[in-house]
Amino acid sequence: MTQAYTLDALRDDVTAGRIDTVLACLVDMQGRLMGKRFHAAFFLESGHHETHSCNYLLATDMEMETVAGYAATSWAAGYGDYTMKPDLSTLCRVPWLEGTALVLCDVLDHHGHDIPHSPRAILKKQVRRLEAMGLKAYMATELEFFLFDQSYENACASGYRDLKTASSYNEDYHIFQTTKEEALMRAIRNGLQGAGIPVENSKGEASAGQEEINVRYADALTMADRHAIIKNACKEIAWAQGKSITFLAKWSNAHAGSSSHIHQSLWSADGTTPHFLDAQAPHGMSPLMRNYVAGLLAHASDITGFLAPYINSYKRFVAGTFAPTKAVWSADNRTAGYRLCGAGTKGIRIECRVGGSDLNPYLAMAALLAAGIDGIEKKMELEEAFVGDAYGDRNVREIPKTLRDATVALKGSAMLRKAFGDDVIDHYVRAAEWEQEEYDRRITDWEVKRGFERA
């Protein structure tokens, strides 16, 4: 966050009548904010120490179903409580909700230990590994979404059919078209800035009604926190204006997919020295950076399940749409899954273009860091940069084409099991298996339309 909003500042706002509600939120497996609305007076009295929530919140699907097969919790175990411990460094005002502040919580057991499979704990574990190496990760996520003229209620009532995007043509970098959408996008930019999230810009993206919001890079945990709040903010602000947006990776065959590219660089522990930079080396890449990127590529299949967690995520990987299909690295080449940016400068970084807008930022960042750390520890050699159109080359490493394939890779990943723990990987493998099981038993409109008469 840009300016710290302290407990004392909250106390002053409550006394002055400016704040009366505090949202205490955990981040669930899907990257959503879940929690409680506290009366601010009670939050100041005791809620800022801890509160509690049912442990099924980290063992459900998108529909909040109590999914069988998790070791962490079940009906047999009684679905007990977790402790939600507010991280007061995340406390912020929520300008788009009247009289409201928000704080993110760590999820703990009754002994005060992190729940290993909670998304925030997973990322914090990888951050600690870097700290032990004298390193600090800076990251940024470019978040895309589609904007619709219908409200969420009307979109739902229509069965999400015949939705009207906010524009009728490709608006990539288009100033006139995005002027028509400025009432909402300005509210999003100013709302996030007021919440202490430093906004860089918004822009039109490569399809009708598609938007992108960009905020300043930060250390990995702070960036993941920002990402989770940004998604919730965009939805709430759109809802308040009678609009709707979707972060679905691919909502329509006729429109581009929505991504969440993740930029990564490693610095000294105090954040002053860029350890990815060697100005005298090819592309300005230090040996450490080359090892890190080699790790990303070596484990590209293993980590895809955390970058593309749903059936729909894989519908985005279409050649010629700026969504990657090949896990190769290249210098400033948007056809590659991993793009080198800022070559030869302090801003040198690797951009992972694989992830969609539906990813959980904590899980995605943790997986990328784990792969990169493995590359550093094993001093992996980086292959030569790919040159040309990666879409058309059939002889290079591919990104898994389906969630089924990605789940097999995730389940068998010795690297991720060592980095996250067997219990964590088994937990998220179960989530992926359930997603596949639910999809496999459903009848789609496409099947019925195609085969009703002709089968």
Side-chain angles (χ1 to χ4, degrees):
M1 308 301 173
T2 48
Q3 295 179 342
Y5 183 53
T6 64
L7 200 62
D8 285 340
L10 173 63
R11 189 172 287 109
D12 290 343
D13 280 344
V14 173
T15 300
R18 292 185 290 268
I19 296 289
D20 56 55
T21 300
V22 179
L23 307 178
C25 307
L26 63 80
V27 178
D28 73 0
M29 295 167 65
Q30 290 74 31
R32 302 174 295 186
L33 301 188
M34 298 285 170
K36 303 176 180 179
R37 280 178 156 82
F38 278 89
H39 193 285
F42 184 80
F43 182 83
L44 289 171
E45 177 185 328
S46 65
H48 68 279
H49 292 300
E50 68 176 50
T51 185
H52 301 88
S53 61
C54 179
N55 63 21
Y56 95 125
L57 289 177
L58 293 180
T60 65
D61 66 0
M62 194 74 78
E63 301 286 351
M64 302 296 288
E65 290 287 337
T66 48
V67 177
Y70 284 113
T73 189
S74 63
W75 288 116
Y79 283 113
D81 272 357
Y82 285 146
T83 297
M84 294 170 60
K85 178 71 173 176
D87 180 346
L88 295 178
S89 72
T90 68
L91 186 65
C92 63
R93 297 181 181 89
V94 183
W96 57 92
L97 296 178
E98 184 177 358
T100 301
L102 179 151
V103 68
L104 296 178
C105 299
D106 288 312
V107 187
L108 312 177
D109 62 22
H110 295 306
H111 303 289
H113 302 133
D114 280 328
I115 298 300
H117 58 273
S118 69
R120 214 162 181 263
I122 292 171
L123 179 54
K124 286 167 67 177
K125 183 176 181 180
Q126 301 312 304
V127 169
R128 288 194 297 270
R129 291 179 69 196
L130 283 176
E131 290 172 348
M133 301 165 70
L135 297 171
K136 183 175 187 176
Y138 282 110
M139 293 185 151
T141 58
E142 303 175 48
L143 194 49
E144 298 174 355
F145 58 89
F146 275 86
L147 170 62
F148 302 95
D149 287 342
Q150 290 97 329
S151 67
Y152 282 110
E153 292 77 10
N154 288 338
C156 179
S158 70
Y160 302 100
R161 295 183 178 88
D162 302 319
L163 297 178
K164 184 179 183 300
T165 55
S167 67
S168 56
Y169 51 80
N170 184 321
E171 59 183 274
D172 201 16
Y173 294 95
H174 207 289
I175 296 299
F176 173 56
Q177 181 56 53
T178 52
T179 295
K180 302 174 188 178
E181 301 150 6
E182 181 64 353
L184 176 63
M185 296 309 298
R186 181 169 180 256
I188 288 174
R189 292 193 307 271
N190 289 337
L192 294 174
Q193 191 77 20
I197 298 176
V199 176
E200 292 186 350
N201 58 68
S202 64
K203 62 178 284 291
E205 254 302 320
S207 199
Q210 192 176 28
E211 316 285 345
E212 178 177 295
I213 185 78
N214 292 297
V215 304
R216 191 176 306 160
Y217 72 89
D219 67 272
L221 183 62
T222 298
M223 189 64 234
D225 290 341
R226 287 176 178 172
H227 183 114
I229 293 171
I230 290 165
K231 288 186 73 171
N232 196 69
C234 289
K235 292 177 181 179
E236 289 180 339
I237 294 169
W239 170 82
Q241 293 195 12
K243 306 285 188 179
S244 59
I245 64 176
T246 185
F247 290 98
L248 196 64
K250 185 75 171 176
W251 79 275
S252 161
N253 287 331
H255 292 76
S258 290
S259 67
S260 179
H261 302 155
I262 301 178
H263 294 254
Q264 310 149 68
S265 61
L266 296 183
W267 291 61
S268 57
D270 62 5
T272 61
T273 305
H275 283 328
F276 271 8
L277 175 63
D278 180 348
Q280 307 308 314
H283 303 294
M285 298 172 71
S286 70
L288 182 88
M289 183 178 190
R290 296 183 68 84
N291 295 156
Y292 182 94
V293 177
L296 297 181
L297 299 180
H299 301 297
S301 292
D302 296 16
I303 66 177
T304 296
F306 287 127
L307 295 164
Y310 305 111
I311 294 289
N312 178 262
S313 306
Y314 295 81
K315 307 296 176 67
R316 175 177 151 263
F317 298 140
V318 178
T321 64
F322 291 101
T325 60
K326 305 293 171 54
V328 295
W329 82 278
S330 190
D332 198 16
N333 180 344
R334 285 182 166 86
T335 72
Y338 294 84
R339 180 173 74 118
L340 178 67
C341 303
T345 70
K346 288 177 67 175
I348 190 169
R349 61 198 184 277
I350 194 73
E351 175 194 29
C352 173
R353 299 177 59 80
V354 179
S357 55
D358 54 351
L359 60 71
N360 181 319
Y362 302 88
L363 304 180
M365 290 181 184
L368 289 165
L369 290 177
I373 289 171
D374 195 59
I376 293 170
E377 290 179 339
K378 294 178 178 175
K379 296 189 182 303
M380 293 183 182
E381 292 292 327
L382 181 62
E383 62 199 51
E384 291 299 312
F386 181 87
V387 177
D389 180 0
Y391 291 126
D393 195 322
R394 298 183 179 181
N395 299 312
V396 296
R397 185 187 304 104
E398 292 192 335
I399 293 164
K401 291 183 170 64
T402 66
L403 178 62
R404 203 185 304 274
D405 291 341
T407 303
V408 171
L410 174 61
K411 187 174 184 177
S413 175
M415 181 277 294
L416 284 174
R417 288 185 176 278
K418 180 180 177 182
F420 290 8
D422 286 330
D423 54 343
V424 173
I425 295 303
D426 290 342
H427 191 87
Y428 284 93
V429 165
R430 179 62 193 132
E433 290 173 344
W434 175 257
E435 168 83 359
Q436 189 71 57
E437 291 164 13
E438 282 292 275
Y439 178 79
D440 287 346
R441 71 186 185 89
R442 305 291 177 173
I443 310 303
T444 66
D445 290 350
W446 178 83
E447 293 170 82
V448 175
K449 181 179 179 181
R450 190 169 187 261
F452 186 91
E453 179 177 335
R454 286 168 284 188

